[in-house]
C-alpha cells in the first residue's frame, strides 16, 4: 500500500490550546481521513513542542519542574484531539526519548559533515517565537509577530552553515512548485531568499531545558533545531519504512512559521542528505472580528469547551466551510450557529430525515425496488456518480472548502430532487431507492469532514462496518440494494442558539 505522511506543527504547550491549534488539527485530519479512504497507508502526526526558553520560563512562573509542567500541559492538547475526533496515528512530544535520540542523531550527522562550527551569537531573540531577529526584521524595534521588544543575547553558540544553502534552496523551490503552497507563500519565501542568508545559531547555553548537544553537553539544541526533527522521529527515521513515508511528506502549518519549515528545515535536511518534504502547505489564521486572538484582549476562545458544548462536527464543519484553506478567516459564535442551522440542520439533516423516515413509515423500513427512471432520477443518479471524483480532486489539491461545498451541493440537489419527485403524492420506488443511495454516498464523502455524523448516517442506513473504512471511490456506487432494511433514524443535528 502506498504510504502517506501528513503532519501538523507541534504546539507550544506554554498555554492551553486555542482555536488556531484546533483549526490546524481539523484541516489536517480531513486530509488524513480522506487519504486513508483513498487507499493510502497514512501516518498522521501531531504533538507538542516542549523544550526551549519560553517553556522553561512558564514552568518557573508556576513554580513547577519543566517536565512536570509539560506533562500536564501536553495533556490539554491531547484532550483537544480527543474532543475533536482527530484521527492522529502518533502524538509526538519532543521530550519523548525516541525524539531526543533522533534530534541528537541529526545534529551529530550534520556536525560530522563539517556543517556546524562554534562561535558567539550576539543579537536579538524573541522568546515568544523562539526566533533570532536582526534589526531589519523588526517593526518599530519590536518582534513582527508578537509586538514585544526582543532580548539582546550574547553567548557561545554552535552555528549551522545555513547561509551556503541559499541558492540550492532557491533552485529547489523554483523547480518543485508543490514544495511551498499556496503559490503566494512560495513567492514570499523566494523574495526573502534574494537577500543573503545568514548562518543559524543552533545551540544555547544560557538555559538548560532542551536536548543536550551530543558533542558538547554544556549546550542545548536550539528549540527549532529540535522541534523540526519531530517529523523524522515520528516515523522512526531512518528505518526503511520511514523512508517510504518520507517520500510523500506533507507538513500543514500556519503562516507565521513558513520560514522555519521551508528555509531552516529545508537546509537542515539538505545538510543531512535527506530529501525535502514534498509539500509544506500554509494555512491562514483564525481571527476574532478580524483581529488576532489575544489573551489581553480576552478573545482567546477555548476550543475544548466549544467542542464539548456544541459538538465536534459543527465546529469542524464551520471552520472548514468558513475559511478558505490558505487564507485568514474569522470565528464568531453567530456564524457557527448560522452555518450549523442553515447548512447542517436544514440542508443535510433535513435530507437524511426525510428520506429515512419516508422509508420507515411508507415501506416498512425497506428500501424500494426501482422501476423505470424518469429524467429527474437519471440526473440524480448521474450526480451521485459524478461528485466523488470532483471532491477527490479538490481534496488532492488542498481545496478543503470547495470540496466540502461540493458535498453539500449534492445534498442540496438531493433535497430538490425529493421536492420535485413529491413521493408522498405518487410512486415513490425510484425516489427512495436513489435517496437511500444518495445518503450512502454523502456519508462516505462527509466522513473526513464530520466523522461522527457520517457514521450516524451509516448506522441509520443499517450498513455493515464503519463508514470510515469505506473506499472513497465506492461513494460513486449504488451500494444499498432493494429490500435492504434500514435502521431507526434519529435527528442528526441540533439547532444552536445562544
Ligand atoms: O509555532 N490561527 O507552535 P504554536 C491558525 N511550536 N493557526 C494558528 C493560529 C491562529 N490564530 N495561531 C497559531 C509553534 N497557529 C511551534 C511549531 S513545528 C516544528 C513547531 C498555528 O503553538 C501556527 O501557525 O505557536 C502553527 O502552525 C501551530 O498553530 C502551532 O503554533
Amino acid at each position: 500500500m502506498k504510504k502517506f505522511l501528513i503532519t501538523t506543527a507541534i504546539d507550544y504547550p506554554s498555554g492551553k490550546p486555542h482555536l488556531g491549534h484546533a483549526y490546524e488539527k481539523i484541516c489536517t485530519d480531513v486530509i488524513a481521513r480522506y487519504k486513508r479512504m483513498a487507499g493510502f497507508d497514512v501516518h498522521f502526526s501531531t504533538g507538542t513542542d516542549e523544550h526551549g526558553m519560553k517553556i522553561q520560563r512558564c514552568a518557573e512562573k508556576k513554580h513547577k519542574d519543566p517536565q512536570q509542567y509539560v506533562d500536564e500541559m501536553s495533556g490539554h492538547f491531547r484532550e483537544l484531539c480527543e474532543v475533536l475526533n482527530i484521527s492522529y496515528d502518533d502524538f509526538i512530544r519532543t521530550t519523548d526519548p525516541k525524539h531526543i535520540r533522533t534530534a541528537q542523531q541529526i545534529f551529530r550527522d550534520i556536525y560530522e559533515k563539517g556543517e556546524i562550527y562554534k562561535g558567539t551569537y550576539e543579537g536579538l531573540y524573541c522568546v515568544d517565537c523562539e526566533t533570532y531577529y536582526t534589526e531589519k526584521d523588526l517593526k518599530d524595534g519590536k518582534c513582527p509577530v508578537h509586538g514585544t521588544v526582543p532580548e539582546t543575547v550574547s553567548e557561545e553558540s554552535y552555528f549551522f552553515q545555513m547561509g551556503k544553502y541559499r541558492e540550492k534552496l532557491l533552485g529547489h523551490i523554483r523547480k518543485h512548485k508543490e514544495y511551498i503552497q499556496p503559490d503566494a507563500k512560495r513567492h514570499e519565501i523566494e523574495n526573502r531568499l534574494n537577500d543573503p542568508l545568514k548562518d543559524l545559531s543552533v545551540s544555547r547555553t544560557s538555559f538548560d531545558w532542551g536536548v543536550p548537544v551530543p558533542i558538547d553537553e554544556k549546550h542545548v539544541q536550539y528549540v527549532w533545531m529540535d522541534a523540526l526533527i519531530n517529523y523524522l522521529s515520528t516515523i522512526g527515521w531512518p528505518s526503511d519504512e520511514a523512508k517510504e513515508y518520507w517520500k510523500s511528506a506533507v507538513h500543514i502549518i500556519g503562516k507565521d512559521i513558513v520560514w522555519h519549515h521551508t528555509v531552516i528545515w529545508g537546509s537542515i535536511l539538505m545538510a543531512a542528505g535527506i530529501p525535502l518534504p514534498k509539500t509544506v502547505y500554509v494555512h491562514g489564521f483564525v481571527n476574532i472580528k478580524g483581529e488576532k486572538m489575544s489573551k489581553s484582549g480576552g478573545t482567546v476562545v477555548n476550543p475544548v469547551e466549544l467542542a464539548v458544548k456544541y459538538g465536534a462536527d459543527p465546529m469542524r464543519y464551520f471552520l472548514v466551510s468558513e475559511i478558505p484553506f490558505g487564507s485568514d478567516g474569522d470565528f464568531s459564535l453567530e456564524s457557527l450557529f448560522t452555518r450549523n442551522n442553515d447548512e447542517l440542520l436544514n440542508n443535510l439533516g433535513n435530507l437524511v430525515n426525510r428520506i429515512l423516515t419516508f422509508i420507515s413509515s411508507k415501506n416498512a423500513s425497506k428500501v424500494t425496488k426501482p422501476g423505470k427512471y424518469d429524467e429527474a432520477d437519471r440526473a440524480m443518479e448521474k450526480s451521485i456518480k459524478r461528485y466523488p471524483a470532483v471532491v477527490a480532486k479538490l481534496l488532492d489539491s488542498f481545496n478543503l472548502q470547495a470540496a466540502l461545498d461540493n458535498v453539500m451541493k449534492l445534498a442540496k440537489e438531493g433535497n430538490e430532487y425529493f421536492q420535485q419527485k413529491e413521493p408522498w403524492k405518487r410512486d415513490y420506488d425510484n425516489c427512495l431507492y436513489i435517496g437511500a443511495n444518495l445518503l450512502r454516498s454523502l456519508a462516505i464523502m462527509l466522513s473526513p469532514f464530520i466523522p461522527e455524523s457520517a457514521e450516524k448516517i451509516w448506522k441509520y442506513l443499517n450498513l455493515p462496518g464503519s463508514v470510515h473504512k469505506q473506499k472513497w471511490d465506492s461513494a460513486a456506487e449504488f451500494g444499498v440494494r432493494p429490500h435492504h432494511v434500514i435502521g431507526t433514524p434519529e435527528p442528526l443535528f441540533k439547532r444552536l442558539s445562544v
Side-chain angles (χ1 to χ4, degrees):
M1 207 194 265
K2 233 180 138 193
K3 297 198 183 316
F4 179 74
L5 171 66
I6 188 155
T7 68
T8 66
I10 48 173
D11 307 324
Y12 288 130
S14 47
K16 285 196 179 170
H18 56 63
L19 205 54
H21 294 132
Y23 176 65
E24 183 171 296
K25 290 183 203 303
I26 289 170
C27 295
T28 312
D29 188 51
V30 168
I31 304 167
R33 285 176 180 273
Y34 158 68
K35 282 285 185 180
R36 288 191 197 105
M37 297 174 84
F40 288 82
D41 169 9
V42 173
H43 182 99
F44 166 19
S45 74
T46 189
T48 38
D49 181 359
E50 305 188 350
H51 290 127
M53 192 178 241
K54 173 153 76 174
I55 299 288
Q56 181 161 338
R57 287 190 185 164
C58 285
E60 277 163 10
K61 255 198 222 151
K62 304 245 161 158
H63 307 290
K64 286 192 175 152
D65 163 66
Q67 187 63 55
Q68 183 200 357
Y69 176 75
V70 292
D71 285 348
E72 262 174 52
M73 294 305 289
S74 172
H76 293 294
F77 289 83
R78 212 184 270 265
E79 183 191 14
L80 176 69
C81 292
E82 305 313 324
V83 298
L84 288 173
N85 288 317
I86 304 300
S87 65
Y88 63 82
D89 298 293
D90 187 24
F91 189 96
I92 181 120
R93 301 178 53 189
T94 52
T95 51
D96 288 342
K98 80 165 178 188
H99 169 73
I100 293 174
R101 271 197 308 274
T102 316
Q104 289 186 319
Q105 190 56 51
I106 299 289
F107 194 107
R108 187 188 290 279
D109 287 351
I110 300 177
Y111 178 77
E112 284 171 358
K113 290 185 175 169
E115 303 271 332
I116 286 178
Y117 61 92
K118 202 181 203 173
T120 307
Y121 180 80
E122 271 169 13
L124 301 165
Y125 193 75
C126 170
V127 180
D128 281 328
C129 3
E130 297 278 18
T131 297
Y132 302 98
Y133 284 109
T134 60
E135 291 287 350
K136 204 177 135 225
D137 300 325
L138 304 182
K139 246 195 203 156
D140 305 325
K142 293 180 178 160
C143 161
V145 180
H146 292 94
T148 46
V149 178
E151 297 181 13
T152 305
V153 181
S154 170
E155 62 188 64
E156 182 186 280
S157 176
Y158 284 93
F159 284 84
F160 161 53
Q161 295 187 35
M162 186 162 83
K164 74 178 205 198
Y165 287 96
R166 192 185 69 85
E167 277 178 29
K168 211 171 157 197
L169 279 168
L170 265 176
H172 185 87
I173 291 169
R174 289 184 177 140
K175 188 162 167 218
H176 302 274
K177 303 272 189 253
E178 76 284 6
Y179 175 47
I180 309 178
Q181 280 295 320
D183 288 346
K185 294 293 161 197
R186 186 177 71 250
H187 298 143
E188 259 175 54
I189 296 294
E190 265 188 78
N191 283 342
R192 281 183 70 182
L193 279 174
N194 284 329
D195 291 338
L197 183 61
K198 289 185 19 180
D199 287 350
L200 181 73
S201 160
V202 286
S203 78
R204 305 292 305 266
T205 50
S206 53
F207 64 94
D208 61 3
W209 182 240
V211 172
V213 167
I215 47 142
D216 186 344
E217 303 243 329
K218 272 205 325 283
H219 290 243
V220 290
Q221 290 184 203
Y222 168 45
V223 65
W224 280 96
M225 179 72 191
D226 156 3
L228 289 161
I229 298 170
N230 92 85
Y231 302 129
L232 295 176
S233 31
T234 184
I235 47 175
W237 189 266
S239 69
D240 289 345
E241 190 186 43
K243 287 178 182 157
E244 282 305 308
Y245 277 119
W246 191 248
K247 286 183 188 158
S248 65
V250 173
H251 299 320
I252 305 290
I253 54 151
K255 63 180 186 180
D256 55 334
I257 52 175
V258 191
W259 179 261
H260 305 77
H261 277 79
T262 54
V263 176
I264 299 183
W265 186 221
S267 54
I268 292 173
L269 289 166
M270 281 174 173
I274 299 171
L276 268 51
K278 188 157 186 291
T279 296
V280 175
Y281 194 96
V282 185
H283 63 75
F285 266 26
V286 185
N287 296 321
I288 308 275
K289 297 205 174 81
E291 299 282 332
K292 204 173 159 183
M293 290 181 266
S294 83
K295 273 192 194 151
S296 53
T299 51
V300 176
V301 177
N302 181 333
V304 173
E305 280 172 17
L306 276 185
V308 170
K309 194 159 175 197
Y310 302 114
D313 281 356
M315 264 184 78
R316 293 173 65 107
Y317 181 84
F318 172 78
L319 289 169
V320 174
S321 59
E322 181 83 5
I323 307 174
F325 199 44
S327 311
D328 290 351
D330 230 41
F331 173 84
S332 75
L333 271 186
E334 298 75 51
S335 31
L336 168 73
F337 294 168
T338 306
R339 280 203 185 259
N340 176 79
N341 298 345
D342 293 356
E343 297 172 25
L344 288 179
L345 184 77
N346 292 348
N347 177 16
L348 180 64
N350 180 38
L351 177 72
V352 173
N353 192 47
R354 286 168 110 171
I355 294 176
L356 294 181
T357 24
F358 212 90
I359 298 177
S360 308
S361 61
K362 301 283 187 215
N363 209 42
S365 295
K366 274 197 193 151
V367 173
T368 43
K369 186 166 185 289
K372 196 168 176 307
Y373 278 10
D374 65 13
E375 204 173 308
D377 300 329
R378 274 194 297 276
M380 194 67 244
E381 185 187 58
K382 207 169 149 203
S383 287
I384 296 169
K385 294 191 165 162
R386 186 176 69 86
Y387 270 89
V390 172
V391 177
K393 205 163 166 213
L394 291 164
L395 285 171
D396 283 328
S397 54
F398 300 98
N399 200 340
L400 308 190
Q401 188 193 43
L404 179 53
D405 189 49
N406 270 277
V407 185
M408 295 305 279
K409 256 197 215 147
L410 179 63
K412 193 157 166 269
E413 264 182 45
N415 270 316
E416 285 159 5
Y417 167 70
F418 200 84
Q419 204 59 35
Q420 188 188 347
K421 293 289 285 187
E422 299 184 311
W424 51 93
K425 279 199 193 155
R426 50 181 82 98
D427 176 21
Y428 51 69
D429 287 351
N430 291 355
C431 181
L432 297 189
Y433 171 71
I434 294 174
N437 278 292
L438 166 66
L439 296 187
R440 177 183 167 280
S441 174
L442 284 171
I444 294 174
M445 286 193 280
L446 286 167
S447 125
F449 300 98
I450 46 171
E452 244 177 277
S453 309
E455 188 75 339
K456 280 187 189 164
I457 303 174
W458 198 255
K459 292 282 168 270
Y460 299 160
L461 283 167
N462 193 26
L463 291 168
S466 161
V467 69
H468 309 306
K469 301 278 179 216
Q470 305 308 309
K471 293 225 161 44
W472 181 269
D473 291 343
S474 74
E477 292 163 10
F478 272 45
V480 188
R481 308 308 307 158
H483 313 303
H484 170 78
V485 178
I486 64 161
T488 316
E490 284 166 41
L492 259 188
F493 302 103
K494 283 197 292 243
R495 182 166 299 280
L496 296 179
S497 62
V498 266

